[in-house]
Amino acid sequence: MKKLGRSSLSPRVEIPILLFLWRWKVSTTSGVYMRFKPEFRWTVYTAYSRMKRLKVKGFVEFKYSDNCVFKVWTLSQRGFKAISNKLTLLREDGYLSENIEHDIYVMAAHNGEWLPRNSVDDVKTITEQELRRIYAEGLPKEIPSVTDHRPDGYWLFSGENRRKIVALEVELNRKSSEDYVDVGEFYNSNASVESVLWIVQSQALANKIVSAASKNLGRYRDIHNFILLTDFIENGWDSTVFLGNFRLNKMQEFLNKHRVKQTSYRPSTNRKHVCTRAILDSRVIRYESNACDNIKKSEIGN
């Protein structure tokens, strides 16, 4: 059998990885590993080796966040071109992360314990990338217009007659009160969104968002729930809602209470934040072994 060329892409393994990176913009090696392990029967080092091979071929890049805390994989321009014909018709091209730290938190929060492929069959995720790039006709009909506001993503939960929608907002930087009034009006006027989960830097910011969103009391929908970023980083989906209708619920309880069908639901492990903490762990050194002692730093990232 003729061997694949240096620049060839495996349609079964590598193309899905590139599509995954396009949807979420960024991922750690652990994130890629956990996403595809059930299908490809990878070890962690196998995942790292595959990503390194894609980098050598020029389809992915290895980048640091601005605060140098996170080291992540992203698509390269060549990688985006390689999958552009596999994507739904786009209204604007694009693939890069504008804020790696923000996007890795979004990726970890949005996926959490449901990251492994086919782990839940009753929940669909819509990413910010898809909301930004895809024509409205290519998105689920339940999704509100993205021209008024674009959250960091949605969870869509299958129901008997309709799908429940929960929005995700990861807020690392404070906006003006006027901006939060506009966001509040967006959710006040879109009854299809049943709940909003905010991950914020402080309780003061949560109070500011609620105050702005409820400025028009006649229209206010009390659907906003808040988790502290520090709690999320430490506990992942075991972090606790401190403000909102789901106060004192853990994040995984908040999400599961929106589920109607739970055919694939498995009780949470006794170990906390298993998936989330692993997703946020971007240490390349974890994957060193005798097989990669000779890998140069320039081949990994700088």
Side-chain angles (χ1 to χ4, degrees):
M1 181 181 294
K2 184 177 179 180
K3 292 184 178 180
L4 291 174
R6 180 181 176 85
S7 298
S8 300
L9 281 169
S10 162
R12 178 177 173 272
V13 178
E14 293 177 326
I15 291 293
I17 295 172
L18 299 186
L19 291 170
F20 173 73
L21 285 179
W22 180 81
R23 290 191 75 220
W24 299 103
K25 303 181 188 176
V26 299
S27 179
T28 58
T29 303
S30 291
V32 174
Y33 162 66
M34 288 184 295
R35 173 66 173 177
F36 294 104
K37 177 189 175 184
E39 184 174 1
F40 300 150
R41 299 180 181 178
W42 278 346
T43 63
V44 178
Y45 179 69
T46 306
Y48 170 73
S49 298
R50 180 64 68 174
M51 297 309 297
K52 177 180 172 293
R53 189 180 308 172
L54 284 169
K55 183 178 184 299
V56 170
K57 290 180 178 181
F59 294 109
V60 302
E61 296 177 347
F62 199 71
K63 294 185 177 181
Y64 282 79
S65 59
D66 288 341
N67 61 2
C68 296
V69 171
F70 295 107
K71 304 181 288 291
V72 299
W73 298 102
T74 69
L75 281 181
S76 65
Q77 184 176 17
R78 186 181 190 189
F80 174 67
K81 287 183 178 179
I83 60 167
S84 58
N85 65 341
K86 312 275 185 197
L87 299 170
T88 302
L89 183 64
L90 303 181
R91 58 190 177 90
E92 81 175 69
D93 286 345
Y95 59 94
L96 290 175
S97 169
E98 296 173 347
N99 187 328
I100 288 174
E101 180 186 9
H102 172 270
D103 290 340
I104 199 64
Y105 288 138
V106 169
M107 189 267 195
H110 212 165
N111 287 286
E113 304 301 319
W114 297 338
L115 177 60
R117 197 164 185 176
N118 302 319
S119 58
V120 287
D121 58 9
D122 59 312
V123 184
K124 179 180 178 63
T125 56
I126 304 297
T127 69
E128 192 275 340
Q129 182 82 290
E130 292 168 322
L131 295 172
R132 179 176 182 175
R133 310 291 183 186
I134 296 176
Y135 284 104
E137 294 79 7
L139 297 170
K141 65 180 184 301
E142 300 92 341
I143 296 298
S145 170
V146 298
T147 57
D148 298 324
H149 175 66
R150 189 174 64 241
D152 289 313
Y154 290 110
W155 290 278
L156 273 64
F157 299 86
S158 298
E160 295 298 328
N161 301 312
R162 65 186 182 88
R163 289 197 281 193
K164 296 181 180 180
I165 302 177
V166 175
L168 173 65
E169 301 273 4
V170 177
E171 202 73 355
L172 297 191
N173 300 307
R174 297 173 69 96
K175 297 183 177 67
S176 69
S177 296
E178 291 73 19
D179 288 332
Y180 290 127
V181 169
D182 292 340
V183 172
E185 280 301 295
F186 171 80
Y187 289 116
N188 291 338
S189 59
N190 282 285
S192 60
V193 180
E194 295 203 359
S195 294
V196 186
L197 182 66
W198 293 81
I199 297 178
V200 295
Q201 294 266 29
S202 67
Q203 294 188 25
L205 179 54
N207 292 333
K208 178 179 180 179
I209 292 170
V210 171
S211 176
S214 59
K215 190 171 183 179
N216 187 340
L217 290 176
R219 290 169 51 84
Y220 179 58
R221 298 176 62 226
D222 187 12
I223 61 173
H224 302 275
N225 297 273
F226 297 86
I227 288 173
L228 284 174
L229 177 63
T230 51
D231 188 12
F232 173 73
I233 293 171
E234 178 66 24
N235 296 305
W237 276 19
D238 284 321
S239 52
T240 302
V241 176
F242 70 85
L243 178 65
N245 287 334
F246 287 84
R247 182 175 176 272
L248 301 183
N249 279 254
K250 294 184 183 299
M251 182 175 171
Q252 61 181 340
E253 294 171 335
F254 166 84
L255 291 171
N256 279 310
K257 284 181 178 179
H258 288 86
R259 299 176 71 184
V260 176
K261 301 178 181 179
Q262 297 194 24
T263 56
S264 298
Y265 176 65
R266 293 172 294 180
S268 60
T269 175
N270 290 328
R271 296 177 298 157
K272 292 185 176 181
H273 51 60
V274 175
C275 281
T276 306
R277 187 169 184 178
I279 293 169
L280 296 178
D281 183 356
S282 60
R283 291 175 298 163
V284 175
I285 196 170
R286 290 195 312 126
Y287 311 121
E288 287 186 353
S289 70
N290 293 334
C292 64
D293 282 343
N294 295 322
I295 295 175
K296 298 176 181 178
K297 184 178 180 181
S298 61
E299 295 177 313
I300 301 172
N302 49 47

